[in-house]
């Protein structure tokens, strides 16, 4: 069973569109995260949720809106996509804010 | 500002040729330093957490050590399956659960 799963794996779309990425974890963890990995492979945190409550919001444009319907799910909605949004987006989870984070396999977003 | 710098950026090894990867960090109030392995097209996979200077952790051919300014990941007698990008990340005491990652070291082990 996949611990942290993201859909879709690939997302190709045009500038200006709105898209969503879904994430689910079956580890029973309380904390979930979204990271962005750019072309230079740097991983940067975007958001962190603990039990559906937003904990970290790292100066991300407000076109990005996370939604946590329950503690096993954390979705990412992106409005008005821009070329600079092209990247790999990773979802992760941890038991609490200080335990190791477990990552999904990423969603590769390409903006045409 | 917190900084995490990994070196070298890339490392080519022959099978069996041991080497070390460096992770230098500048952070006030370190809570923990994490090592991850990332294979192409996959998410990072957790390897170790180190909490205090002098601490060491081992797993198969990998050994991680920590000082007050840097961490080393030693790869002993590597095999081709050890080829991956190795990432380190730091977590501050005052920053909740935020991890700050370095840029990674790409390791290629040739048979």
């Amino acid at each position: 069973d996949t611990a942290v799963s993201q859909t879709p794996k690939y997302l190709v779309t045009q500038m200006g569109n709105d898209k969503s990425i879904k994430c689910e974890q079956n580890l029973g963890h309380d904390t979930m995260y979204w990271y962005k990995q750019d072309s230079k492979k740097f991983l940067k945190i975007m958001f962190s949720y603990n039990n559906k409550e937003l904990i970290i919001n790292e100066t991300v444009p407000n076109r990005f809106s996370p939604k946590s319907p329950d503690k096993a799910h954390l979705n990412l909605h992106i409005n008005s996509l821009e070329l600079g949004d092209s990247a790999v987006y990773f979802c992760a989870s941890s038991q609490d804010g200080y335990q190791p984070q477990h990552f999904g396999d990423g969603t590769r977003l390409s903006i045409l | 500002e917190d900084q995490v710098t990994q070196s070298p950026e890339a490392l080519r090894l022959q099978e069996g040729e041991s080497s070390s990867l460096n992770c230098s960090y500048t952070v006030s109030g370190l809570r923990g330093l994490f090592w991850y392995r990332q294979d192409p097209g996959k998410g990072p996979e957790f390897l170790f957490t180190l909490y205090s200077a002098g601490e060491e952790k081992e797993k198969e051919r990998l050994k991680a050590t920590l000082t007050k300014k840097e961490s080393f990941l030693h790869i002993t007698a590597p095999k081709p399956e050890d080829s991956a990008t190795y990432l380190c990340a730091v977590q501050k005491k005052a920053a909740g659960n935020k991890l700050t990652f370095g840029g990674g070291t790409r390791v290629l082990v040739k048979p």
Side-chain angles (χ1 to χ4, degrees):
Chain A
D1 270 351
T2 305
V4 180
S5 58
Q6 300 178 224
T7 54
K9 188 168 177 65
Y10 300 97
L11 190 50
V12 181
T13 190
Q14 293 193 329
M15 266 198 318
N17 285 351
D18 303 339
K19 290 293 178 186
S20 292
I21 307 172
K22 295 187 175 183
C23 179
E24 175 182 4
Q25 55 94 4
N26 63 4
L27 298 167
H29 289 167
D30 287 339
T31 309
M32 295 186 73
Y33 313 80
W34 278 110
Y35 284 85
K36 178 179 180 180
Q37 189 170 44
D38 61 24
S39 56
K40 295 187 176 181
K41 303 298 183 185
F42 273 93
L43 261 172
K44 293 189 73 172
I45 190 161
M46 301 172 69
F47 302 104
S48 167
Y49 268 75
N50 183 267
N51 269 320
K52 302 195 298 175
E53 180 184 347
L54 181 65
I55 301 297
I56 292 176
N57 182 342
E58 278 286 303
T59 57
V60 177
N62 57 15
R63 297 183 295 103
F64 290 80
S65 52
K67 294 260 185 331
S68 182
D70 55 61
K71 74 174 192 176
H73 295 84
L74 180 62
N75 303 323
L76 184 65
H77 187 77
I78 316 170
N79 289 326
S80 303
L81 281 156
E82 300 177 356
L83 287 175
D85 297 333
S86 295
V88 182
Y89 293 84
F90 286 98
C91 177
S93 73
S94 64
Q95 181 58 51
D96 57 36
Y98 305 108
Q99 296 303 312
Q101 297 175 19
H102 298 260
F103 287 78
D105 282 339
T107 295
R108 182 174 294 277
L109 174 62
S110 298
I111 311 300
L112 303 178
Chain B
E1 186 180 325
D2 301 337
Q3 278 200 315
V4 182
T5 304
Q6 291 189 243
S7 61
E9 286 188 13
L11 192 58
R12 295 165 69 100
L13 300 171
Q14 286 296 128
E15 184 172 1
E17 178 189 0
S18 300
S19 189
S20 294
L21 283 54
N22 178 264
C23 172
S24 297
Y25 62 90
T26 306
V27 62
S28 54
L30 179 75
R31 170 175 286 278
L33 185 142
F34 297 77
W35 280 99
Y36 285 83
R37 169 194 170 122
Q38 187 174 21
D39 293 300
K42 298 288 187 181
E45 176 188 344
F46 170 71
L47 293 173
F48 306 108
T49 312
L50 301 165
Y51 292 104
S52 56
E55 190 175 358
E56 298 182 352
K57 294 268 177 79
E58 278 188 78
K59 180 180 179 179
E60 296 181 357
R61 294 175 294 282
L62 301 177
K63 179 179 174 181
T65 62
L66 181 66
T67 73
K68 289 189 176 179
K69 294 183 179 179
E70 57 193 350
S71 177
F72 292 94
L73 184 66
H74 308 278
I75 311 178
T76 302
K79 298 183 177 182
E81 53 262 43
D82 295 322
S83 298
T85 295
Y86 291 87
L87 300 167
C88 75
V90 298
Q91 188 177 56
K92 287 173 62 166
K93 288 179 181 174
N97 48 25
K98 173 183 171 182
L99 286 181
T100 301
F101 279 85
T105 295
R106 292 190 315 278
V107 174
L108 175 64
V109 183
K110 303 186 99 177

